[in-house]
Amino acid sequence: MNDYVIFTDSGCDLAPETLAKWGVRSRSLTFSFDGGATAFTDEEMPVSAFYAKMREGAIAKTAAVNVSAFTEAFEEELEKGNDVLYLGFSSGLSTTFNSARIASEQLKEKYPDRKIIVVDTLAASAGQGLIVYLTVEEKKKGASIEEAAEFAKGLIPRMGIWFTVDDLQYLKRGGRVSPTAAFVGGVLGIKPVMHVDNEGKLIPMSKVRGRRAALQAMADQYGRLADLSVSAPVYISHGDCMGDVELLKKLLKEQHNADVEVVSDVGPVIGAHSGPGTLALFFVGKER
């Protein structure tokens, strides 16, 4: 059985050093500000600086990983005799997965004896990261590339991905909410509680008044959906709002005895569309 390397992309919002420790390789999406010619990766600008620019009114735009970037990275491993398993950013939110799929199809012709499996996690941020982590753990247990891929696919319909945003204007720019809803929500202090559905797309699930109520609604979803029979960590990602992270952690611990094991930044790739103050919760559930 050939060894294999797990790949992902920066949509997972996990630090490069964390992925490297797990033996996972990653390709980076890029972002730019206000149509500027300079494109950055997540590693090239501190998250705090990114959100500071957004709060000053700068508009960030993102670009997917292209086919050639995946081709080059995958081929490095194929030439070493390794197979490749890619766990990618939701195709419902980015064309990055499609780039990886095209690269894999092209490389299969050149390396017919190698295995290249690409899996659309239908997840984003640390939800994608949680799938990567749990799949790495399966590999450590001796899972073959096919077994690891099937394991990851089995997690996808059970990955709880719930989040809220602080300012609806950012979702309005991306067409996620209407201008009227964004205006009224801003005036009334309405906070949406959103979900990534089974197609990997963002959908609003409820609207509550006030930030604390939004965090409580997320904790309630954990209590309703979390599969406590599975030994899996709980992750939180945030867009420069550590105080809210602590409050959500407190709610989860006091009401559901749940410990949050990983807190990560919502990076520029996702933060460009959701804005500063984004807060997201990820866990393995009975269903999405």
Side-chain angles (χ1 to χ4, degrees):
M1 183 176 70
N2 294 321
D3 195 9
Y4 61 97
V5 175
I6 296 176
F7 276 79
T8 190
D9 54 68
S10 60
C12 73
D13 279 344
L14 293 179
E17 54 268 27
T18 297
L19 295 174
K21 183 173 68 175
W22 295 348
V24 174
R25 294 192 59 185
S26 180
R27 297 292 87 183
S28 292
L29 288 81
T30 58
F31 63 95
S32 59
F33 281 104
D34 300 319
T38 302
F40 302 90
T41 64
D42 286 9
E43 300 87 52
E44 292 172 334
M45 180 180 292
V47 172
S48 57
F50 171 81
Y51 284 118
K53 288 180 72 69
M54 290 196 76
R55 288 186 173 107
E56 292 167 0
I59 298 175
K61 293 186 177 181
T62 60
V65 182
N66 60 36
V67 175
S68 62
F70 279 122
T71 300
E72 179 182 357
F74 290 171
E75 192 161 22
E76 286 180 9
E77 297 300 334
L78 299 172
E79 288 179 342
K80 296 175 185 176
N82 295 324
D83 295 330
V84 168
L85 172 59
Y86 168 69
L87 306 175
F89 189 15
S90 173
S91 62
L93 300 172
S94 171
T95 59
T96 293
F97 174 78
N98 195 48
S99 294
R101 181 187 59 78
I102 293 170
S104 71
E105 291 173 355
Q106 294 174 349
L107 288 168
K108 284 176 183 177
E109 296 179 4
K110 187 175 180 180
Y111 298 89
D113 296 329
R114 297 271 71 80
K115 296 173 184 175
I116 312 171
I117 302 176
V118 295
V119 177
D120 182 356
T121 68
L122 299 175
S125 193
Q128 176 185 343
L130 181 52
I131 292 174
V132 171
Y133 167 74
L134 293 171
T135 304
V136 167
E137 291 299 295
E138 279 300 295
K139 183 186 178 188
K140 288 179 180 177
K141 296 174 186 176
S144 68
I145 187 172
E146 293 90 353
E147 290 167 341
E150 288 306 308
F151 174 81
K153 291 176 184 176
L155 288 173
I156 292 168
R158 302 170 57 204
M159 187 54 52
I161 303 177
W162 295 87
F163 74 100
T164 189
V165 299
D166 194 43
D167 189 339
L168 288 165
Q169 292 300 318
Y170 298 103
L171 293 177
K172 183 199 76 173
R173 290 176 188 169
R176 302 293 180 185
V177 299
S178 70
T180 300
F183 174 76
V184 173
V187 171
L188 299 179
I190 299 298
K191 307 297 180 184
V193 177
M194 305 187 76
H195 174 53
V196 177
D197 68 8
N198 288 326
E199 296 180 354
K201 297 179 179 179
L202 304 182
I203 56 170
M205 296 297 289
S206 63
K207 297 176 183 178
V208 296
R209 183 169 291 184
R211 183 73 162 179
R212 185 183 177 93
L215 304 191
Q216 181 62 63
M218 292 167 64
D220 290 344
Q221 292 295 349
Y222 175 87
R224 184 174 71 88
L225 293 171
D227 186 349
L228 301 182
S229 69
V230 176
S231 178
V234 177
Y235 283 11
I236 289 177
S237 289
H238 70 105
D240 199 27
C241 55
M242 196 63 199
D244 289 329
V245 170
E246 294 302 327
L247 176 54
L248 181 55
K249 286 172 65 176
K250 181 180 179 182
L251 293 173
L252 290 167
K253 182 64 176 178
E254 291 180 351
Q255 298 174 9
H256 305 292
N257 198 32
D259 293 309
V260 175
E261 294 191 22
V262 171
V263 174
S264 70
D265 294 311
V266 173
V269 167
I270 296 167
H273 305 283
S274 59
T278 300
L279 189 64
L281 173 66
F282 311 95
F283 57 89
V284 175
K286 302 164 192 170
E287 59 185 63
R288 277 213 173 196

